[in-house]
Amino acid sequence: MESKRIFADQIRFVVGQAFSDVPANLALALVVVFVYWPVCCHRNLLTWLGIMTLGVLARLIISIPRTRSLLKLNDDHLWFKIYLPLTSGFGVLWGAAGILFFVHGQLEYQLFIAILLAGIVSGAVSSLPVFLNVYYIFLYSIMVQITSLLLSQESTLGLGMGILCSFYIFYHTMSAHRSHHLILEALSSRHKTELLARIDVLTGIANRRAFN
């Protein structure tokens, strides 16, 4: 019973984060298009932006209570089955940006996309590790390709950035694991506190708060 309640709280947590975290993906995507417009294929940029926009809209739609009811997504496990591929898709899209917009021979553009992707991964560590598997898919989808490209560069700076990204992946793998357990402990503690507030300590019988 407690695990079911914690899972429901995990869902509520990521739903609540949607209206701050998800639009940030679209804002950053617009920055990418603006920066790479002079040097990358416009069709690739617009196609990538269009897919990102659709993903953002879909993620917001499934997080609005009214549309969740209309789409019959009130069941938490069903909602998660949609949330997982959507969020993984964001990781794949950002990882694709690291490949599509990796401008060979122009180190400043290479470093820009690498730093941007690293920042996205860092920003996600505050919320996505509530479901650890989701965060790992997101992390590796984004960082593995850009790291490989940087490691293949002949310049010392590019190679150094690739090594740094490798350590970065390892660090966030470890920190996400810690964050996940901290979040679960916090949710479990909250449930225990709520339970104690509803039950009389001496008799073990539900008190007035349990009926409010």
Side-chain angles (χ1 to χ4, degrees):
M1 180 63 71
E2 183 181 349
S3 61
K4 185 177 180 180
R5 289 180 177 176
I6 290 175
F7 181 74
D9 271 354
Q10 289 174 286
I11 295 294
R12 281 194 289 271
F13 180 83
V14 294
V15 167
Q17 294 291 318
F19 299 98
S20 57
D21 293 352
V22 177
N25 280 277
L26 185 56
L28 291 173
L30 290 170
V31 171
V32 169
V33 171
F34 174 77
V35 170
Y36 287 89
W37 191 260
V39 292
C40 288
C41 172
H42 292 177
R43 179 180 296 176
N44 288 344
L45 284 165
L46 293 175
T47 300
W48 177 82
L49 178 63
I51 297 171
M52 180 68 74
T53 303
L54 290 175
V56 167
L57 290 174
R59 178 69 173 83
L60 291 175
I61 286 170
I62 67 167
S63 299
I64 298 171
R66 182 171 295 180
T67 54
R68 282 187 69 181
S69 298
L70 290 173
L71 296 172
K72 299 180 180 180
L73 296 176
N74 289 324
D75 179 80
D76 290 334
H77 290 279
L78 178 59
W79 191 90
F80 182 76
K81 287 180 181 179
I82 297 175
Y83 164 77
L84 175 59
L86 267 179
T87 305
S88 302
F90 282 123
V92 171
L93 275 174
W94 282 115
I99 300 171
L100 291 171
F101 312 138
F102 190 86
V103 185
H104 292 276
Q106 298 196 43
L107 188 60
E108 65 273 21
Y109 285 104
Q110 297 172 8
L111 295 183
F112 177 87
I113 195 67
I115 293 169
L116 177 68
L117 296 180
I120 290 169
V121 168
S122 294
V125 80
S126 65
S127 57
L128 284 189
V130 67
F131 293 111
L132 195 57
N133 58 335
V134 174
Y135 182 76
Y136 283 156
I137 293 171
F138 188 78
L139 167 65
Y140 301 139
S141 297
I142 291 176
M143 293 304 300
V144 168
Q145 293 294 338
I146 189 67
T147 300
S148 300
L149 286 170
L150 288 167
L151 288 172
S152 67
Q153 299 305 297
E154 296 180 357
S155 68
T156 303
L157 185 58
L159 180 60
M161 193 69 180
I163 295 172
L164 187 63
C165 285
S166 300
F167 283 111
Y168 188 85
I169 292 172
F170 175 77
Y171 169 77
H172 275 287
T173 299
M174 296 297 103
S175 64
H177 190 266
R178 290 193 299 270
S179 295
H180 174 73
H181 287 287
L182 287 172
I183 292 170
L184 290 188
E185 286 175 10
L187 292 175
S188 179
S189 297
R190 196 181 84 174
H191 277 300
K192 289 176 182 177
T193 302
E194 290 176 353
L195 184 63
L196 289 172
R198 289 181 170 86
I199 295 177
D200 186 274
V201 179
L202 295 176
T203 64
I205 300 173
N207 59 26
R208 291 176 62 185
R209 287 188 178 181
F211 300 99
N212 292 338

